[in-house]
Amino acid sequence: MAKGPEKNTKNKALHTKLLNRKKTKLQEEKKEKAMRLKALVTKMNQKKRSDESDVS
């Protein structure tokens, strides 16, 4: 009885590993971008408040 062709699990595993690495990298970049934006907004709000208090 003949068996079918061997499955290529090695390349599939490597591909999955690379895709997972890419996904995590994108998530980290997204988080860093959000953190920078949040810090910038906070800084601008503080500057705005200090400017308003100086004018009053």
Side-chain angles (χ1 to χ4, degrees):
M1 199 160 149
K3 290 186 175 181
E6 290 184 17
K7 294 192 176 182
N8 193 352
T9 56
K10 184 178 179 184
N11 281 345
K12 190 173 183 180
L14 287 173
H15 184 67
T16 303
K17 183 179 177 182
L18 289 173
L19 286 180
N20 287 340
R21 199 182 292 175
K22 182 179 177 183
K23 271 190 223 174
T24 54
K25 182 180 177 185
L26 290 175
Q27 285 178 345
E28 291 297 321
E29 287 175 356
K30 190 174 180 181
K31 283 180 186 178
E32 288 175 13
K33 185 176 179 182
M35 294 287 281
R36 283 196 304 269
L37 188 61
K38 193 172 187 177
L40 183 63
V41 168
T42 305
K43 183 178 175 183
M44 293 306 290
N45 285 340
Q46 287 175 348
K47 185 177 179 184
K48 186 177 177 182
R49 279 191 222 119
S50 67
D51 287 349
E52 287 176 355
S53 64
D54 289 344
V55 172
S56 298

